[in-house]
Amino acid sequence: MVDLDWKAKMVSSDIPNKSPKLSNKLQVSIPTPFRFSNISSPLSTSASASSAYDYYLRLPELRKLWETKEFPAWQNERVLKPALHALEITFRFISIVLSDPRSYSNRREWKRRLESLTTSQIELIAMLCEDENEDKTAAGTAPIVDLTSSNGVLARESSSAEVWKLHGETTVVSRTSKDSLLPRLATWQKSEDAAQKILYTIECEMRRCPYTLGLGEPNLSGKPSLDYDAVCKPNDLHALKRSPYDHCIENHENATLFTTHQILESWIQTAKQVLKRIASRIDTEIFETASSDCYLMERIWKLLAEIEDLHLLMDPDDFLHLKSQLLIKPVNETEAFCFRSKGLVEITKMSKELKHKVPFILGVEVDPKGGPRIQEAAMRLYSEKQEGNKVFLVQALQAIEGALKRFFYGYKQVLVVVMGSLEAKGNRVVAGSGSGSGSVDSLSLVFLEPTYFPSLDAAKTFLGEFWNHELGGSGLTRWKN
């Protein structure tokens, strides 16, 4: 176990004793963070711009679908339903791309990207379903259709399932949704291969889940199927497939932009529910499941970046024409386009607010005098190795921070490629650091911000210096080169 009496032991002989008070303290140089002065939070935008964004994407109607509670006993409904909506909208996106009549559309790359995006979404949906099996209060509450109990006897009319036998008398039932677009994609020559790949992905990813999705996957393990049509309501969802401006804008990129952002907003809604669950589980000291949710949230941030990358495949001329038609432009010099999404702003703030949970996790209170109480508690947690669940949790919290900042950095690069560097750099705010001053765009303010967890950061810095001092340069020589 690491001796945390670092004030007495971590002394460098090369540092002069300028003060008796400092002579027994660790000498570590921690860089001063870049400071922004006299600026407002970058996480803001005009109410009119947000309202126009919501209207274009038909978000008020989508929110009604997300927030309607159809199954009161099913705790996971509000988390899983928007994710299933995003998946179903992706099936529609595949149809849109493969139906595009433009000869210059890069259908091959679009198809690959959407297959990859679908796989990423199915992986996250499987993780959400797996959590139900581990949570005793949520287990068995999902609306499922268990056709195995009928020994494979199906209705003669409107049957949406296939039955066959494996290993003697074992009855296997594969149920297919009647309303989802995926089964239709599997019968269309242009999308048949993509649909089959998706179905096998569902089969593989849902192996550890208590049920499968019921979209026509083989279901070789004979598990019950989620009542997909009752939960997702594909017909109601696809009724919102057209933007309010379809009748007056003739631009094929309108459908791709509209659909991309409907998928994005659906996952933002799921992220919001996951963040609420993280906070609740930390407050009730369910640290193991809270850390699992944190890593899930990290992956959602990465998925949001993958969705934003779809803009790179849009035709430059058609997209910029559409941008002009939709009057997409900054309201003022400090606005970033992505902050028109109220949901994105909210989950960014919620992710940052998790930093206030650290003292509770470590079992200490914040020192009103600014002492290193939290930092020392973190050092003990890391070194004693007695509370692994807490270590996993604080590591996962920092993983969320890293994914969040990578998202906004990546979004800035997408903005430059899609709209040009002049447009991307046009959203600027004035910032000062020390005696000098500079100009930093509003997106950079997010990913250049100092760490949300300074005590955890400092604890690792001091712990690293402790081990450097303990080894006294006697480590493996290969690390010196």
Side-chain angles (χ1 to χ4, degrees):
M1 185 178 71
V2 176
D3 183 355
L4 291 176
D5 187 16
W6 48 269
K7 291 184 179 180
K9 293 191 174 183
M10 300 178 72
V11 182
S12 173
S13 59
D14 298 329
I15 301 175
N17 294 330
K18 295 182 179 179
S19 167
K21 293 182 179 181
L22 295 176
S23 60
N24 291 329
K25 292 185 178 180
L26 172 64
Q27 304 293 326
V28 179
S29 176
I30 299 177
T32 304
F34 187 78
R35 298 183 182 278
F36 306 104
S37 59
N38 301 322
I39 58 171
S40 59
S41 169
L43 298 177
S44 62
T45 189
S46 70
S48 60
S50 291
S51 297
Y53 177 84
D54 286 6
Y55 176 73
Y56 172 67
L57 296 178
R58 305 185 68 174
L59 287 185
E61 295 137 295
L62 270 177
R63 288 191 185 104
K64 287 182 181 179
L65 294 179
W66 296 334
E67 296 171 0
T68 301
K69 190 75 173 173
E70 300 280 354
F71 308 96
W74 188 27
Q75 298 179 16
N76 217 22
E77 180 180 2
R78 289 189 176 177
V79 182
L80 191 58
K81 186 189 290 186
L84 292 175
H85 285 164
L87 184 65
E88 184 64 32
I89 295 171
T90 307
F91 301 154
R92 186 174 80 225
F93 205 168
I94 294 172
S95 175
I96 291 171
V97 166
L98 296 181
S99 302
D100 192 337
R102 295 175 297 173
S103 60
Y104 50 87
S105 175
N106 191 351
R107 295 184 191 84
R108 185 178 184 181
E109 187 58 31
W110 265 115
K111 192 174 181 181
R112 287 174 173 173
R113 290 291 184 98
L114 291 178
E115 285 177 358
S116 174
L117 178 64
T118 304
T119 298
S120 299
Q121 293 180 82
I122 293 170
E123 288 174 354
L124 290 177
I125 289 170
M127 291 173 67
L128 289 169
C129 295
E130 283 179 46
D131 288 344
E132 285 188 29
N133 213 22
E134 297 175 2
D135 188 346
K136 294 180 180 179
T137 61
T141 58
I144 60 172
V145 179
D146 188 0
L147 293 178
T148 59
S149 61
S150 64
N151 294 319
V153 179
L154 305 174
R156 290 179 178 272
E157 298 179 357
S158 302
S159 176
S160 61
E162 295 179 358
V163 182
W164 62 91
K165 290 184 180 294
L166 286 179
H167 307 299
E169 298 300 319
T170 303
T171 302
V172 175
V173 181
S174 172
R175 188 173 189 273
T176 303
S177 163
K178 297 178 184 178
D179 299 332
S180 173
L181 288 181
L182 182 59
R184 302 177 199 178
L185 292 176
T187 62
W188 185 26
Q189 185 179 4
K190 289 184 178 180
S191 59
E192 182 181 3
D193 57 338
Q196 290 297 328
K197 182 178 179 180
I198 292 169
L199 289 170
Y200 287 123
T201 300
I202 294 172
E203 175 73 11
C204 294
E205 294 298 332
M206 299 296 289
R207 294 281 291 180
R208 291 191 292 268
C209 302
Y211 51 83
T212 189
L213 295 184
L215 287 171
E217 63 274 17
N219 191 19
L220 297 179
S221 55
K223 292 185 293 189
S225 297
L226 181 73
D227 195 347
Y228 184 89
D229 291 346
V231 175
C232 185
K233 296 186 181 298
N235 289 335
D236 293 344
L237 183 64
H238 294 310
L240 307 176
K241 66 181 180 180
R242 298 188 183 278
S243 81
Y245 305 116
D246 269 13
H247 66 285
C248 59
I249 293 180
E250 293 185 5
N251 191 321
H252 286 286
E253 294 300 358
N254 186 34
T256 56
L257 181 69
F258 176 80
T259 309
T260 296
H261 282 266
Q262 279 199 336
I263 296 170
L264 181 79
E265 290 295 330
S266 297
W267 275 106
I268 286 174
Q269 178 68 16
T270 288
K272 192 184 305 181
Q273 300 303 319
V274 171
L275 285 164
K276 289 179 181 178
R277 197 165 71 180
I278 290 171
S280 174
R281 287 177 170 175
I282 292 176
D283 290 342
T284 52
E285 299 187 33
I286 310 175
F287 295 136
E288 183 175 359
T289 51
S291 65
S292 295
D293 278 344
C294 286
Y295 282 119
L296 175 65
M297 188 63 221
E298 177 202 15
R299 293 190 60 171
I300 291 177
W301 274 114
K302 293 178 179 178
L303 177 65
L304 298 182
E306 187 177 353
I307 296 169
E308 288 288 1
D309 284 348
L310 295 177
H311 290 87
L312 300 174
L313 295 180
M314 297 180 188
D315 179 75
D317 182 64
D318 288 351
F319 175 79
L320 293 172
H321 184 200
L322 176 65
K323 175 177 173 289
S324 177
Q325 289 174 306
L326 294 175
L327 300 177
I328 302 175
K329 58 183 180 179
V331 176
N332 54 60
E333 292 184 352
T334 64
E335 183 203 52
F337 291 108
C338 63
F339 297 141
R340 298 178 183 214
S341 168
K342 291 181 285 189
L344 181 62
V345 171
E346 186 175 356
I347 65 169
T348 301
K349 290 180 177 178
M350 291 173 72
S351 295
K352 293 176 66 174
E353 289 301 309
L354 290 174
K355 63 186 178 183
H356 299 303
K357 301 293 183 182
V358 172
F360 177 77
I361 295 168
L362 299 178
V364 296
E365 295 182 359
V366 177
D367 190 338
K369 297 182 179 180
R373 188 181 295 170
I374 301 175
Q375 172 191 319
E376 292 173 354
M379 291 176 68
R380 285 193 294 272
L381 176 69
Y382 292 141
S383 61
E384 292 176 356
K385 306 184 188 301
Q386 299 298 314
E387 298 178 285
N389 289 343
K390 290 186 177 182
V391 175
F392 301 152
L393 179 54
V394 293
Q395 286 287 95
L397 290 174
Q398 290 188 287
I400 292 177
E401 177 189 4
L404 182 158
K405 291 182 176 179
R406 283 194 297 273
F407 169 81
F408 285 105
Y409 179 80
Y411 179 83
K412 181 182 176 182
Q413 309 313 311
V414 169
L415 201 62
V416 170
V417 173
V418 173
M419 297 186 184
S421 58
L422 184 62
E423 183 78 43
K425 294 178 181 177
N427 302 328
R428 306 184 76 87
V429 293
V430 176
S433 176
S435 59
S437 62
S439 183
V440 180
D441 63 274
S442 55
L443 283 172
S444 298
L445 288 176
V446 179
F447 60 78
L448 290 178
E449 191 175 3
T451 177
Y452 307 152
F453 305 96
S455 296
L456 300 179
D457 181 74
K460 291 176 180 177
T461 301
F462 278 89
L463 208 54
E465 288 297 321
F466 170 84
W467 284 114
N468 288 339
H469 179 78
E470 281 291 296
L471 292 175
S474 61
L476 296 178
T477 55
R478 65 188 179 93
W479 296 111
K480 294 181 180 180
N481 299 326

